[in-house]
Amino acid sequence: AAPEGMDDGGPVSELEGSLVEVFGMGGTLAKRAASPGDRRDAEDLDDDEIDVDGHCGRCIGWFAETNRYVVETFEGDVVEVPEANLRPWAPATADEGGFDALWPEEGQEAAEAFGAQVCAELNYKGYCVVQTFLSRRERIDAAERAEGEPDPRPFVRLQQEVEAGYLGIENSTKVALLEDAQDEDFGATADALQTCNLQLSSLGYMLAPYCAELGFNFAGLRRTMVRMSIDKIDEDELFPEALVDMAADGDGDWSSYVHEYVRFTQTRRLSLLYMVDNGGGDLWL
């Protein structure tokens, strides 16, 4: 949501609604313009001025009270910046480390345009990289929640025969199911990890009207799995079982895993992957 007090009657400029880069601040800090419902901690919001020189983001409007533009940076900060310190900015292509589509502003029209854009990218090259707005504090919080703080999270390794089908070849991650992101009260009490989960759910439903163009009908979303790297302790404690061993041991549950896997492979059509906190690397599709 845009900050309160933002005016539609600002100067005519190509910057409003476009991607911009903050430059030439010369050490001057930008005043924070926190949006209603901001999830950051109180001590962060007390830090009224921050250094955003060199940061990029979306120019979301004009703040008549301070005679400045309001910019939402990709680091999740909403700040006021003089027009003289903004210039148009274009991202690199996705295969060069940039992105294809930008998470939409609020509103039905923006959501529909975003869904159509992502669908077009999927049709053209089979994947689409989306840039969201998430602060470093939120990324840290999401990573801590994923790890199981304050409550331990029940991570598992999937069975050897089905792991590659769910998670890809040469998997080195453990997984846990997240809470359903479609609860009507979800957004009001969401922490950073839940917010990421809710964005995945929102993305799925923004794409739903265009799925026919991709060759399938939208039937719903599977529960989100959080994936984290396996450390040395996990390697011993979370060694993946084999379905063939479960069957040999008389474990009657082995067949349910097979049936669920077959159903998954027959109905899966689109994978949504949210890179929340990571150290880079390659993703092979």
Side-chain angles (χ1 to χ4, degrees):
E4 295 178 353
M6 201 163 66
D7 187 7
D8 292 333
V12 177
S13 171
E14 63 180 9
L15 296 178
E16 190 165 344
S18 67
L19 298 180
V20 295
E21 178 185 7
V22 182
F23 76 101
M25 296 291 284
T28 302
L29 302 181
K31 180 177 175 59
R32 197 190 294 275
S35 300
D38 200 312
R39 295 184 303 277
R40 284 169 290 188
D41 292 340
E43 63 262 24
D44 293 323
L45 294 177
D46 288 341
D47 184 12
D48 288 336
E49 297 183 332
I50 56 176
D51 183 8
V52 294
D53 204 6
H55 290 202
C56 298
R58 177 166 52 203
C59 183
I60 59 177
W62 172 256
F63 214 162
E65 183 178 336
T66 58
N67 205 37
R68 284 171 166 76
Y69 279 101
V70 178
V71 176
E72 182 178 18
T73 72
F74 297 145
E75 288 75 18
D77 297 304
V78 181
V79 294
E80 302 170 19
V81 183
E83 184 174 14
N85 298 109
L86 293 176
R87 59 189 173 198
W89 177 83
T93 60
D95 57 358
E96 294 176 341
F99 56 88
D100 300 306
L102 186 66
W103 190 259
E105 298 182 84
E106 293 184 357
Q108 183 67 24
E109 185 175 344
E112 290 176 354
F114 172 76
Q117 180 185 6
V118 173
C119 177
E121 292 290 342
L122 292 172
N123 258 328
Y124 176 66
K125 60 181 180 180
Y127 70 92
C128 179
V129 178
V130 176
Q131 173 69 53
T132 59
F133 299 86
L134 202 64
S135 71
R136 181 59 186 162
R137 166 71 68 173
E138 288 172 313
R139 293 182 186 279
I140 292 173
D141 179 45
E144 290 176 348
R145 296 278 184 172
E147 191 70 69
E149 297 181 14
D151 300 317
R153 190 177 297 280
F155 280 98
V156 298
R157 289 286 303 275
L158 300 183
Q159 290 75 21
Q160 295 176 21
E161 293 89 343
V162 303
E163 187 176 63
Y166 283 112
L167 304 176
I169 61 174
E170 298 182 7
N171 174 62
S172 60
T173 60
K174 56 186 178 181
V175 299
L177 288 174
L178 293 185
E179 296 78 8
D180 190 351
Q182 301 173 48
D183 189 307
E184 61 182 6
D185 297 323
F186 195 92
T189 59
D191 57 45
L193 183 63
Q194 291 171 325
T195 297
C196 294
N197 191 13
L198 186 59
Q199 284 186 319
L200 286 176
S201 178
S202 299
L203 174 57
Y205 285 102
M206 282 189 281
L207 290 177
Y210 307 98
C211 286
E213 299 177 26
L214 299 173
F216 64 92
N217 294 320
F218 179 79
L221 300 168
R222 295 181 61 87
R223 284 183 63 184
T224 303
M225 290 190 295
V226 57
R227 300 177 62 173
M228 299 196 71
S229 298
I230 297 174
D231 56 30
K232 292 297 182 182
I233 297 178
D234 292 330
E235 288 181 358
D236 295 329
E237 295 183 352
L238 296 177
F239 187 79
E241 291 184 278
L243 291 175
V244 64
D245 291 338
M246 294 174 63
D249 293 338
D251 188 340
D253 287 339
W254 73 270
S255 60
S256 64
Y257 293 113
V258 174
H259 293 154
E260 176 62 22
Y261 178 69
V262 170
R263 181 176 180 274
F264 169 72
T265 58
Q266 291 176 338
T267 60
R268 65 182 178 185
R269 291 296 181 270
L270 192 63
S271 174
L272 308 180
L273 180 62
Y274 202 140
M275 308 295 286
V276 177
D277 188 58
N278 55 86
D282 297 315
L283 177 63
W284 295 85
L285 301 176

